């Protein structure tokens, strides 16, 4: 019996090692599920060349408040200059655009010289494409923080006065009316799309207010798109924010104001004392930094100099 202990001390570790190797490895843990999409996961609506205009229309622009209305930004029509009424239009010497005391910018029409008509055709085509893009966006699944509603579809039945909107895509099957102020709340990078299946009506003195939610700045008008299946009418002294893509026409009443763009497939009419602050186009990306200069190369080694020739031997002396 005593002679078996050395053998057991040798065999048992081998058996334990073999059992350990035979045990199967546990299966790897599954990767974590991706987080659900956020209601603020909205991609921008690209305006193309229409981004260069404060007002761009197909049929015409009428300024009823001449000379009291004021527009900062370019305006344009995809028809002749006669469709721009009430602006004291003066043709520029280049014939490429016109000017007006009421417009801090240029006025474009198909009456201008080449290449302006082609530019207007492209810009209006981009307007239509942006409208179609905005109209086809799916509404967000949830609208976190939205006052008075937890849905992004037909919020408050279209009567949205007093509502605070956070980032997302909202859709109404019919009209929308603002009879009291609304708040668009978020950060400077948040995107908002409002799809309206009928008209948008804004009451006297009603304000669209942009409010910061946190420390990343307030929402930008350039990131707010109103896609309107018919028209927008804003009453006296109202204030709007955002890019308005209208299927038919737009009317801004006396003393009203807009920080944004009016891009309509019909006509635009401005009452007296209307102020439009068109948004600047997005800045171009910064230029690429110049390539780093290559390090100076070492000067080549000078070629070896031949050894100096020995001085000539003196002639032998005469005997």
């Amino acid at each position: 019996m005593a002679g078996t202990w050395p053998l057991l001390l040798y065999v048992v570790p081998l058996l334990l090692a073999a059992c350990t190797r035979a045990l199967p490895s546990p299966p790897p843990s599954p990767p974590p599920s991706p987080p659900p999409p956020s209601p603020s996961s909205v991609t921008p609506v690209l305006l193309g060349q229409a981004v260069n205009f404060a007002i761009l229309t197909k049929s015409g622009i009428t300024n009823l408040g001449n000379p009291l209305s004021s527009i900062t930004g370019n305006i344009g029509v995809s028809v002749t200059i006669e469709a721009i009424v009430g602006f004291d239009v003066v043709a520029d010497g280049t014939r490429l655009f016109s000017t007006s005391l009421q417009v801090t910018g240029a006025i474009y029409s198909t009456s201008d010289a080449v290449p302006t008509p082609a530019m207007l055709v492209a810009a209006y085509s981009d307007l239509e494409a942006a409208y179609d893009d905005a109209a086809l966006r799916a509404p967000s699944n949830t609208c976190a923080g939205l006052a008075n509603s937890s849905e992004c579809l037909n919020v408050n039945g279209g009567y949205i006065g007093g509502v605070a909107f956070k980032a997302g895509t909202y859709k109404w099957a019919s009209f929308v009316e603002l009879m009291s102020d609304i708040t668009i709340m978020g950060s400077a990078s948040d995107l908002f799309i409002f799809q309206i299946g009928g008209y948008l009506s804004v009451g006297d003195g009603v304000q669209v207010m942009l409010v910061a939610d946190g420390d990343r700045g307030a929402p930008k008008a350039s990131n707010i798109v109103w896609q309107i299946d018919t028209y927008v009418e804003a009453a006296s002294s109202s204030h709007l924010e955002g890019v308005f893509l209208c299927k038919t026409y737009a009317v801004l009443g006396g003393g009203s104001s807009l920080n944004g763009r009016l891009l309509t497939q019909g006509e635009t009419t401005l009452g007296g004392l209307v102020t439009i602050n068109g948004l600047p186009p997005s800045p171009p990306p910064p230029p690429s930094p110049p390539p780093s200069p290559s390090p100076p190369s070492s000067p080549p080694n000078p070629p070896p100099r031949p050894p100096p020739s020995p001085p000539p031997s003196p002639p032998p002396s005469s005997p």
Side-chain angles (χ1 to χ4, degrees):
M1 184 69 177
T4 61
W5 282 108
L7 179 62
L8 291 174
L9 292 175
Y10 173 76
V11 171
V12 169
L14 292 178
L15 291 174
L16 290 175
C19 292
T20 303
R21 285 196 300 269
L23 292 175
S25 301
S29 301
S33 302
S38 163
S40 61
S41 301
V42 182
T43 55
V45 175
L46 302 180
L47 301 179
Q49 294 195 45
V51 78
N52 297 311
F53 292 86
I55 302 177
L56 179 63
T57 77
K58 180 178 182 179
S59 303
I61 305 170
T62 300
N63 178 20
L64 300 177
N66 181 32
L68 300 177
S69 292
S70 173
I71 300 171
T72 301
N74 300 326
I75 68 174
V77 292
S78 59
V79 289
T80 61
I81 195 65
E82 289 77 17
I84 295 181
V85 178
F87 283 95
D88 294 335
V89 175
V90 178
D92 183 72
T94 64
R95 310 297 298 179
L96 295 175
F97 61 91
S98 299
T99 60
S100 169
L101 293 176
Q102 291 83 53
V103 179
T104 304
I107 300 174
Y108 295 98
S109 75
T110 58
S111 301
D112 295 324
V114 173
T116 298
M119 179 273 290
L120 284 168
V121 170
Y124 186 75
S125 176
D126 290 342
L127 180 161
E128 292 179 311
Y131 177 92
D132 292 340
D133 177 19
L136 292 174
R137 299 296 183 93
S140 301
N141 294 326
T142 59
C143 300
L146 176 65
N148 305 328
S149 178
S150 60
E151 301 292 337
C152 301
L153 189 63
N154 295 319
V155 174
N156 282 14
Y159 298 98
I160 62 172
V163 175
F165 292 94
K166 290 199 172 184
T169 299
Y170 301 84
K171 184 179 182 66
W172 290 267
S174 186
F175 67 88
V176 168
E177 293 190 357
L178 281 69
M179 295 299 116
S180 59
D181 297 349
I182 68 168
T183 301
I184 296 179
M185 181 180 298
S187 72
S189 61
D190 283 341
L191 301 174
F192 304 78
I193 299 177
F194 300 101
Q195 302 168 328
I196 300 174
Y199 63 84
L200 171 62
S201 178
V202 183
D204 288 349
V206 171
Q207 310 285 301
V208 175
M209 300 179 293
L210 308 184
V211 177
D213 184 13
D215 57 0
R216 294 183 297 146
K220 294 182 178 180
S222 56
N223 290 338
I224 303 167
V225 173
W226 303 78
Q227 177 265 318
I228 304 169
D229 198 44
T230 56
Y231 62 85
V232 55
E233 289 187 350
S236 300
S237 303
S238 58
H239 176 72
L240 304 179
E241 295 273 352
V243 177
F244 288 79
L245 296 164
C246 302
K247 187 70 172 179
T248 57
Y249 66 86
V251 176
L252 299 187
S256 61
S257 59
L258 164 67
N259 182 40
R261 309 183 196 282
L262 282 176
L263 307 176
T264 72
Q265 299 181 42
E267 186 175 354
T268 293
T269 302
L270 309 177
L273 288 171
V274 172
T275 301
I276 296 179
N277 179 27
L279 307 171
S282 300
S288 301
S292 302
S294 56
S297 57
S298 302
N301 295 324
R305 303 178 67 178
S309 302
S313 302
S317 55
S318 302

